[in-house]
Amino acid sequence: MKGQKDFSLTLVIDGRKYPIKIDRSEEEAYRRAAKTIDNKINQYRVTYGDSPNLITQDFIAMTAIQILVENFELGTKNNTEP
């Protein structure tokens, strides 16, 4: 039955576990998303990790901004309205 969140999945991002319920058909997308987020957090940590003013939450926020910007850019590229 579509729309029913009946599959339990635990994603690990930056060493923390996030249990969620999803449609089984969405599992691969969620796993890819978690891996992408984790990779981007690590990229920011390597690039800016020596800055004493930045904490893990900052790297997560920077990652969220980057992913949303990429998403917005994809939406603009796929917009076929005149």
Side-chain angles (χ1 to χ4, degrees), residues 28-68:
E28 182 58 32
Y30 274 86
R31 288 189 188 279
R32 281 194 331 248
K35 184 174 183 173
T36 299
I37 292 167
D38 205 43
N39 288 340
K40 288 183 185 296
I41 289 171
N42 288 329
Q43 287 173 354
Y44 279 115
R45 187 171 276 120
V46 167
T47 302
Y48 301 105
D50 57 350
S51 175
N53 299 331
L54 296 176
I55 61 174
T56 297
Q57 185 176 351
D58 297 318
F59 299 128
I60 293 169
M62 294 161 77
T63 297
I65 292 166
Q66 180 183 356
I67 289 172
L68 280 173

